[in-house]
């Protein structure tokens, strides 16, 4: 959901950019030699998934898969989203440079918070890539991250002036069907990834998945 240049007021732009810069700094500190290739791959996935978009007022509707990024990357999703947005702005003119901080914050922060929460929840269950629990978790991560981003976009538009309230409501309504599709695709992608590469899920959650899968095979 890209907000275009010239829409947000200066206080919103400055505040969002400062928060986004803090998130990117935190994300860069979390990157290491093992996670950099994963971050690059997911940046490419985000870049491709969000290329096909439909204009909705001062924003747009499109797939993002940021929930998957938040789950697999944690705070490193911030710099990954930033790089993807910069490339889209440079090559295709999506969004813009003045709103790059606001767009990064809107897309990355919900994904990171929901993704980190999902890690803790998944770590409590012994599940396999074929389990209904994993599919439900993937759906919720994708749908809730997308929905929270839509709320964030609507919120920054509302803060920029009362004239954007109608556009904010339109954005929320238009994103509902896309949110459901995002959840389904995230669940299917997570199942595929963890079927062939279960170690992609970080820390304890990934250990549970690997152990459960090996138990079933035995």
């Amino acid at each position: 959901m890209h907000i275009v240049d010239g829409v947000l007021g200066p206080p919103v732009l400055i505040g969002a950019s400062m928060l986004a810069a803090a998130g990117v700094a935190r994300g860069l500190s979390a990157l290491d030699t093992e996670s950099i290739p994963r971050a690059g791959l997911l940046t490419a996935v985000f870049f491709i998934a969000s290329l096909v978009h439909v204009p909705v007022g001062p924003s747009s509707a499109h797939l993002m898969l940021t929930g998957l990024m938040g789950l697999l990357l944690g705070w490193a999703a911030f710099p990954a989203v930033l790089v993807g947005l910069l490339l889209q702005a440079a090559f295709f003119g999506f969004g813009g440079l003045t709103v790059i901080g606001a767009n990064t914050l809107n897309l990355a922060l919900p994904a990171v918070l929901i993704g980190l929460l999902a890690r803790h929840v998944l770590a409590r269950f012994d599940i396999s890539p074929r389990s209904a629990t994993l599919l439900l978790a993937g759906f919720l991560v994708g749908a809730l991250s997308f929905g929270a981003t839509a709320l964030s976009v609507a919120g920054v538009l509302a803060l920029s002036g009362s004239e954007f309230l109608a556009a904010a409501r339109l954005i929320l309504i238009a994103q509902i069907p896309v949110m459901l599709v995002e959840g389904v695709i995230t669940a299917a992608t997570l199942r595929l990834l963890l079927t062939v590469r279960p170690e992609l899920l970080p820390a304890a959650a990934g250990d549970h998945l690997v152990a459960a899968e090996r138990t079933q095979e035995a």
Side-chain angles (χ1 to χ4, degrees):
M1 279 165 272
H2 300 69
I3 297 176
V4 298
D5 282 330
V7 172
L8 302 181
V12 177
L13 283 174
I14 294 171
S17 296
M18 292 177 64
L19 291 174
V24 170
R26 176 67 178 85
L28 289 174
S29 68
L31 284 173
D32 53 30
T33 55
E34 293 184 359
S35 59
I36 287 176
R38 183 191 307 163
L41 174 62
L42 290 170
T43 298
V45 170
F46 163 73
F47 179 83
I48 296 299
S50 56
L51 276 183
V52 181
H53 66 106
V54 178
V56 179
S59 182
S60 58
H62 53 78
L63 296 174
M64 299 187 302
L65 297 181
T66 50
L68 186 66
M69 297 175 72
L71 178 62
L72 299 182
L73 295 177
W75 285 101
F78 260 94
V81 168
L82 174 61
V83 170
L85 289 175
L86 284 171
L87 291 174
Q88 289 181 349
F91 290 118
F92 302 103
F94 293 167
L97 294 179
T98 64
V99 291
I100 197 72
N103 283 332
T104 299
L105 183 69
N106 290 335
L107 272 63
L109 184 59
V112 168
L113 296 180
I114 293 173
L116 291 176
L117 176 62
R119 287 189 189 185
H120 291 293
V121 173
L122 287 172
R124 297 177 179 272
F125 296 91
D126 290 328
I127 55 180
S128 74
R130 293 184 292 274
S131 69
T133 303
L134 179 66
L135 291 177
L136 177 61
F139 176 82
L140 291 176
V141 166
L144 293 179
S145 296
F146 192 96
T149 289
L151 286 173
S152 182
V153 170
V156 297
L157 286 174
L159 289 174
S160 295
S162 58
E163 64 271 21
F164 293 114
L165 289 177
R169 288 192 290 268
L170 173 63
I171 288 171
L172 287 176
I173 295 172
Q175 303 299 342
I176 292 175
V178 189
M179 179 180 71
L180 299 177
V181 174
E182 179 94 0
V184 171
I185 293 178
T186 301
T189 303
L190 185 62
R191 179 176 182 177
L192 174 63
L193 286 176
L194 295 179
T195 298
V196 297
R197 295 287 300 279
E199 68 275 11
L200 283 178
L201 196 64
D207 295 339
H208 276 276
L209 285 164
V210 173
E213 183 69 5
R214 287 175 178 172
T215 300
Q216 286 191 0
E217 289 177 353

